[in-house]
Amino acid sequence: MNCFDLRTSMIRIKRASDRGYAHFGWLESRHAFSFGSYFDPEWMGISELRVANEDLLHPGAAIDPSKHQDMEIISVILDGKNLHTDSLGSRKLLEGRSLQLLSTGTGTEFTEQNASLENNLRMLQFWIVPAKTGNKPRYQSRKLLSREGVQLIVSPDGRDDSLQIDQDAEMYQFRLQHTSYGLPATEHGFLFLLRGELEVNGSLLQAGDAMLFENEPLISLRGISRAEGFYFTLP
């Protein structure tokens, strides 16, 4: 059980309009944390979460193949069709409302491509440092449910049909409309609001806003309009 020191509890908000932005012609990317040429010393990540990007790939565009190691890369496909290929032999076409987790381990080369020549591909990417280095690489994917409430989608033990991550971290999907819900308290937490309006511990968030928590003993959500987003508990 975590012990919280109320004297050091902290909540920080980054508004959607304050995120970093990069436009490469074929790719538009918005960054909650410092990434690439975008640098914000107050937002370098939290605990082992290093990247929280929202990407828009134009029709037919692909992210150049790149090799990474010792990183847990979570991708949420929101709209469109994503073709994932990697050096593990994975070749997976995922449509909107899908989730994938690539554990790069000792080293994995991969690429993401918009499989449509007509429509944009919109996705989120979250990168988490694993608990230990040198793990065996692996790839997992699943569909996201559309039901109301809060659902565990990534966990260290893979319970409740969640994808299994090599870190003491959990990821939840929430969908709330005019309802309230309490989230698991944690030493470090990160929340990203995808759409709608949401009140979190008295602060109002709108689509694209992100929130950091440190030693916060109570995290209370209240959907103002239909609110959907993701919440991480971190070591």
Side-chain angles (χ1 to χ4, degrees):
M1 179 179 295
N2 289 325
C3 294
F4 299 100
D5 183 349
L6 296 182
R7 293 171 299 176
T8 60
S9 64
M10 181 274 294
I11 293 178
R12 282 187 285 162
I13 298 173
K14 172 161 282 189
R15 299 299 179 185
S17 58
D18 294 329
R19 290 180 294 174
Y21 177 69
H23 195 317
F24 302 102
W26 52 273
L27 167 67
E28 299 177 55
S29 187
R30 290 170 170 81
H31 320 305
F33 298 124
S34 296
F35 185 84
S37 61
Y38 170 66
F39 178 72
D40 182 345
E42 298 299 319
W43 286 73
M44 299 294 292
I46 182 168
S47 181
E48 302 303 332
L49 177 62
R50 297 290 188 267
V51 173
N53 290 352
E54 180 177 357
D55 296 330
L56 186 73
L57 274 75
H58 295 184
I63 298 175
D64 291 338
S66 59
K67 186 173 184 178
H68 294 274
Q69 66 184 53
D70 297 324
M71 191 63 70
E72 303 288 302
I73 301 178
I74 301 169
S75 301
V76 184
I77 292 78
L78 301 172
D79 302 297
K81 298 180 180 181
N82 179 61
L83 177 61
H84 169 91
T85 56
D86 60 45
S87 56
L88 306 178
S90 309
R91 183 177 174 85
K92 189 78 171 184
L93 180 64
L94 296 178
E95 300 190 27
R97 304 202 62 77
S98 296
L99 178 74
Q100 68 179 20
L101 171 55
L102 176 63
S103 302
T104 62
T106 53
T108 307
E109 184 175 272
F110 67 98
T111 186
E112 314 290 350
Q113 179 179 2
N114 186 345
S116 172
L117 298 178
E118 299 177 350
N119 301 313
N120 289 327
L121 166 64
R122 183 175 172 228
M123 62 193 301
L124 303 175
Q125 286 204 37
F126 304 100
W127 295 21
I128 296 177
V129 178
K132 63 180 181 178
T133 61
N135 292 320
K136 182 180 179 179
R138 61 177 175 169
Y139 173 84
Q140 307 164 73
S141 65
R142 56 162 290 178
K143 290 291 292 183
L144 293 176
L145 299 180
S146 299
R147 68 188 183 205
E148 299 294 310
V150 177
Q151 179 193 9
L152 178 69
I153 56 176
V154 174
S155 70
D157 56 7
R159 70 186 186 279
D160 299 332
D161 199 31
S162 60
L163 301 186
Q164 189 170 6
I165 191 171
D166 293 319
Q167 181 53 271
D168 185 19
E170 294 180 339
M171 179 181 180
Y172 295 82
Q173 175 194 14
F174 60 83
R175 292 166 60 89
L176 304 173
Q177 184 177 19
H178 306 304
T179 54
S180 298
Y181 203 96
L183 290 176
T186 179
E187 186 174 356
H188 301 98
F190 175 80
L191 184 147
F192 177 76
L193 183 60
L194 178 62
R195 57 174 59 92
E197 289 185 318
L198 182 72
E199 184 182 286
V200 184
N201 287 19
S203 296
L204 182 64
L205 300 184
Q206 297 184 330
D209 290 348
M211 180 176 276
L212 298 181
F213 307 90
E214 290 188 13
N215 299 310
E216 189 65 27
L218 177 65
I219 301 174
S220 177
L221 308 184
R222 183 170 71 92
I224 305 301
S225 60
R226 183 179 295 276
E228 180 177 0
F230 301 94
Y231 171 71
F232 291 82
T233 66
L234 300 156

